Amino acid sequence: MRIVFMGTPEFAVPSLAAILEEGHTVELVVTQPDRPKGRKKTLTPPPVKDAALLRGLPVAQPERLRKSDTVDQIAAIKPDLIVTAAYGQILPKAVLEIPRLGCINVHGSLLPKYRGGAPIQRSIINGETVTGVTIMYMAEGLDTGDMISVVEVPISDEDTSGTLFEKLTIAGAQLLRETLPSIEVGTVQAVPQNNDEATYSPNLTREDERIDWNRSAREIYNQVRGLSPMAGGFTIWNGEPFKVWGCKPVSQSSAGLEPGTVLETTDAGIVVQTGEDTLLLTVIQPAGKKAMNAVEWLKGARLETGTVFGGGEA
């Protein structure tokens, strides 16, 4: 098949590779523009662009697809199929109607759950024990198209969004590899989504990173795992953000103490009261410093028992 591939992050790279390894021709790769990255705001290409150029594939990077010449470029190619994987923009109707075999998307959830831009992170944040990848036909709505194929992937208690991202990246590429033949020969039996069961996973915001100590230790643990390794959770200490990168629930409870209260500092980390049970902070990042083991930080820090994390606007 002659294919136009659309994707942006590392999640999409193995899917691009799978298409090529199966003998199909990628006529064009469409990805997001280069963005400033890091403290120095260095203009950095997305992983899919790097992968495409490495393979000698032409690349387009429209800021807004629907208002760009890229739509005409795709139409001129007359692709058999458009494949997207975490592209980051909704395809306009003018694009959806171009390929004779339609447009398909490799989505990192078990649809109709977790439609939207952050399904991997939010599945962990919400305490799910299983997720997966769905390949679906694209429609004008947000991840609303008919489902073609699905694979389940378990979420372990130790998974972060980083480790789960890797698992789903591999699973998605393999599922795409298995699905393309039926699309090519026209034997797909797609299944409509049940919209009544749909849930949404909007992109994460700064407030999603803020730790609410009134929640249970397990819920905060899931939050931190879901935000790691990209953002981490944060609270406020001495009027400044205090990030939490690693933690684990502790079974003990201290009734009557305000959630967010530091109960003790031990040779394992910082024990904090939550709305239900306690949480051991193991990897932290005070403002202006690098992430570090909590035990190492405690050697030189003045964190008193009874300190209450939280509050403030930072």
Side-chain angles (χ1 to χ4, degrees):
M1 290 182 288
R2 299 172 69 249
I3 293 174
V4 168
F5 183 81
M6 309 176 77
T8 299
E10 193 65 40
F11 175 83
V13 172
S15 291
L16 172 60
I19 292 169
L20 296 169
E21 288 164 6
E22 291 301 302
H24 304 290
T25 302
V26 175
E27 300 287 346
L28 177 68
V29 172
V30 184
T31 188
Q32 297 278 24
D34 297 0
R35 304 291 189 196
K37 191 174 182 179
R39 291 184 178 181
K40 295 184 178 180
K41 303 297 182 182
T42 304
L43 201 61
T44 305
V48 164
K49 178 182 179 179
D50 285 338
L53 295 179
L54 186 64
R55 293 165 171 81
L57 302 173
V59 174
Q61 295 179 272
E63 186 70 47
R64 297 187 64 185
L65 178 63
R66 67 175 62 246
K67 293 186 176 182
S68 70
D69 294 337
T70 305
V71 176
D72 292 334
Q73 187 179 359
I74 296 171
I77 291 171
K78 297 181 180 178
D80 298 309
L81 182 71
I82 290 177
V83 179
T84 71
Y87 170 49
Q89 296 188 41
I90 295 177
L91 270 59
K93 185 178 180 180
V95 173
L96 295 175
E97 293 177 342
I98 291 173
R100 67 179 183 87
L101 295 176
C103 302
I104 66 171
N105 181 42
V106 183
H107 184 75
S109 81
L110 299 175
L111 291 172
K113 294 184 71 174
Y114 297 107
R115 294 173 175 173
I120 298 173
Q121 297 95 323
R122 292 194 184 275
S123 64
I124 295 179
I125 291 171
N126 291 343
E128 302 285 358
T129 58
V130 64
T131 184
V133 176
T134 304
I135 294 180
M136 64 175 184
Y137 281 116
M138 300 189 71
E140 289 188 74
L142 179 63
D143 299 327
T144 57
D146 292 352
M147 299 179 294
I148 301 169
S149 56
V150 177
V151 61
E152 290 189 352
V153 174
I155 302 175
S156 78
D157 207 35
E158 291 74 36
D159 269 325
T160 65
S161 62
T163 60
L164 187 58
F165 187 96
E166 292 176 4
K167 291 179 182 179
L168 293 177
T169 295
I170 296 169
Q174 181 57 34
L175 186 64
L176 180 62
R177 198 186 300 269
E178 296 168 358
T179 302
L180 286 173
S182 62
I183 293 174
E184 185 173 17
V185 300
T187 58
V188 168
Q189 295 183 337
V191 178
Q193 295 186 43
N194 184 345
N195 291 325
D196 293 336
E197 297 178 356
T199 62
Y200 292 87
S201 55
N203 290 327
L204 296 167
T205 67
R206 177 68 168 168
E207 280 306 303
D208 289 311
E209 299 169 16
R210 186 186 295 270
I211 295 172
D212 179 359
W213 296 104
N214 291 294
R215 303 179 74 192
S216 71
R218 167 60 64 171
E219 289 174 319
I220 297 171
Y221 172 62
N222 290 340
Q223 177 188 11
V224 172
R225 289 194 301 134
L227 294 167
S228 179
M230 298 302 294
F234 81 93
T235 187
I236 305 300
W237 180 63
N238 284 347
E240 294 185 304
F242 185 90
K243 282 203 169 189
V244 179
W245 292 98
C247 60
K248 61 181 179 180
V250 182
S251 59
Q252 68 193 69
S253 181
S254 298
L257 289 179
E258 181 181 354
T261 300
V262 175
L263 300 179
E264 59 178 333
T265 57
T266 72
D267 57 3
I270 306 165
V271 182
V272 184
Q273 177 65 47
T274 72
E276 181 182 332
D277 296 323
T278 58
L279 191 71
L280 177 68
L281 311 188
T282 56
V283 183
I284 54 85
Q285 183 179 5
K289 297 183 180 295
K290 295 181 179 180
M292 66 186 79
N293 187 293
V295 175
E296 291 300 313
W297 178 71
L298 286 169
K299 292 178 180 179
R302 295 182 178 179
L303 180 67
E304 297 180 358
T305 299
T307 296
V308 181
F309 285 129
E313 299 296 329

